[in-house]
Amino acid sequence: MSDARAEAGDLAARLAAWARDRLAHARHVRVLHLERIHGGASRETYRFVLAWEADGRRRERALVLRRDAPASLIETERRVEFAAYRAFHGTPVPVPEPLGLEEDPAALGAPFFVMDALEGEASPKRLFAPPYLEQREKIGRRKWAILGEIARADPKALGLTDVLPEVAPDAAWRRELDRWERMLDADALEPQPIARAAIRWLRRAPPPPAQRVAVVHADYRTGNFLVDASGAIRGILDWEMVHLGDPLEDLAWSLNRVWCWTRDERVGGLLPRPEAIRVWEAASGLRADPVALRWWEVFSCVKGQAIWVSAAREFQEGRNRDPVMAFSCWMQGNSQDRATLALLGHLP
């Protein structure tokens, strides 16, 4: 048996033992079809089927495991991500049902949580091929409508002010810019003159105060939601960077040029930019002021570059050998610089 298969078998056995302790009156608890889902870099993600017997009947449920990685692109709190899934489950924002949080690393070697598995496609490569291609306008309108619903949601009513630090409307921009500049300072392996110029530009002309302090998903993009063949979005994923802040941050990130997978005028590969903004405004009840939105778009480029250089450092220093760490910087770093230059008027 290979090391990888042995490791997977051990993980399945330990996960079954953890589940057994939490299922009342369950017998013969097993984890079947455990499979790593590659692509994310802040959590290790696995799909599996939990099988057990209760009341004389065999039962099965498709689930997803999100386990902390040895090192990641960003420092995140699984407790906060779990809280976001719990807060939005059952609301107009579709998310998988969160089922269990374990912060003791003894069970699986690292903290983790388990949630329901939803059917659907997330890969941008496959979303722009049949049968999803024919539905891309529908997917796009739903994508930015859901983002508007996130911006409209009341963080206090959702219980998220208990786990997310609050911020004043006029301080949201500075907190986020300070955070990502610190990451760039700490992790850049070589000079980043374009990102540094963007930071100077951002500090010289800060945006107006947030119209509303809202829940910010912070990684809302094509690739982080599940779509079915009819074009319906089944679930919004990857809430690991969720925080309270200016909802224009989310809109700007969703419009970032590096997510224009189809290399045309469609943001996120789905809708023309003006239409995406109109859908978001209608759903959120907010206005995407062009000057404020441009500030947040330039910020999103700085944030993106900080993430890519952090990936490179984690990989180079051996803390995380998942190839996605190396590919993120190699594939996205130059594209992010070009997006920055375009926003600052130095590229067509």
Side-chain angles (χ1 to χ4, degrees), residues 118-124 126-127 132 225-229 234:
L118 300 178
E119 293 300 319
E121 183 56 68
S123 167
R126 289 190 285 272
L127 284 177
Y132 307 100
F225 51 80
L226 290 168
V227 182
D228 67 22
R234 302 290 305 280

Side-chain angles (χ1 to χ4, degrees), residues 132-151:
Y132 307 100
L133 182 63
E134 293 82 359
Q135 304 291 340
R136 67 176 176 176
E137 287 82 9
K138 177 181 177 180
I139 296 168
R141 289 191 293 272
R142 187 65 182 132
K143 171 186 174 178
W144 275 282
I146 293 171
L147 185 59
E149 293 285 356
I150 295 172

Side-chain angles (χ1 to χ4, degrees), residues 117-312:
L118 300 178
E119 293 300 319
E121 183 56 68
S123 167
K125 180 179 180 180
R126 289 190 285 272
L127 284 177
F128 301 120
Y132 307 100
L133 182 63
E134 293 82 359
Q135 304 291 340
R136 67 176 176 176
E137 287 82 9
K138 177 181 177 180
I139 296 168
R141 289 191 293 272
R142 187 65 182 132
K143 171 186 174 178
W144 275 282
I146 293 171
L147 185 59
E149 293 285 356
I150 295 172
R152 183 186 288 275
D154 181 349
K156 187 174 180 62
L158 291 172
L160 287 174
T161 52
D162 296 334
V163 295
L164 297 176
E166 298 193 58
V167 65
D170 61 352
W173 72 269
R174 186 184 300 278
R175 186 183 69 179
E176 293 308 305
L177 182 55
D178 287 351
R179 175 193 178 190
W180 293 103
E181 185 177 10
R182 285 194 302 270
M183 183 177 290
L184 198 69
D185 291 343
D187 291 343
L189 295 169
E190 57 187 9
Q192 296 292 326
I194 296 173
R196 299 294 180 185
I199 290 169
R200 293 193 295 272
W201 184 91
L202 291 165
R203 293 199 183 279
R204 282 198 304 268
Q211 300 165 75
R212 173 191 302 150
V213 173
V215 178
V216 176
H217 178 284
D219 197 12
Y220 195 91
R221 59 178 177 84
T222 303
N224 274 349
F225 51 80
L226 290 168
V227 182
D228 67 22
S230 74
I233 293 180
R234 302 290 305 280
I236 306 300
L237 308 176
D238 293 349
W239 291 77
E240 61 262 39
M241 294 195 292
V242 65
H243 59 273
L244 301 183
D246 191 325
L248 287 180
E249 180 187 344
D250 259 349
L251 178 60
W253 186 252
S254 76
L255 303 174
N256 194 318
R257 187 168 171 171
V258 300
W259 314 130
C260 292
W261 306 108
T262 50
R263 305 303 179 198
D264 57 19
E265 82 287 353
R266 294 172 182 265
V267 289
L270 297 170
L271 289 180
R273 175 190 170 92
E275 185 177 355
I277 293 172
R278 283 197 299 271
V279 171
W280 179 86
E281 288 182 323
S284 67
L286 302 172
R287 179 172 179 265
D289 173 71
V291 174
L293 181 57
R294 184 184 179 214
W295 190 96
W296 283 105
E297 286 187 88
V298 175
F299 163 80
S300 76
C301 291
V302 171
K303 169 181 165 180
Q305 199 62 271
I307 291 173
W308 315 137
V309 302
S310 295

Side-chain angles (χ1 to χ4, degrees), residues 73 189 307-317 325-326 329:
L73 297 183
L189 295 169
I307 291 173
W308 315 137
V309 302
S310 295
R313 179 171 287 276
E314 296 293 343
F315 186 83
Q316 185 194 58
E317 296 185 352
M325 306 297 281
C329 188

Side-chain angles (χ1 to χ4, degrees), residues 39 44 59 74 107-108 116 211 221 233 265 286 337:
E44 293 177 351
R59 304 172 189 270
I74 49 174
L108 299 187
D116 221 4
Q211 300 165 75
R221 59 178 177 84
I233 293 180
E265 82 287 353
L286 302 172
D337 274 345

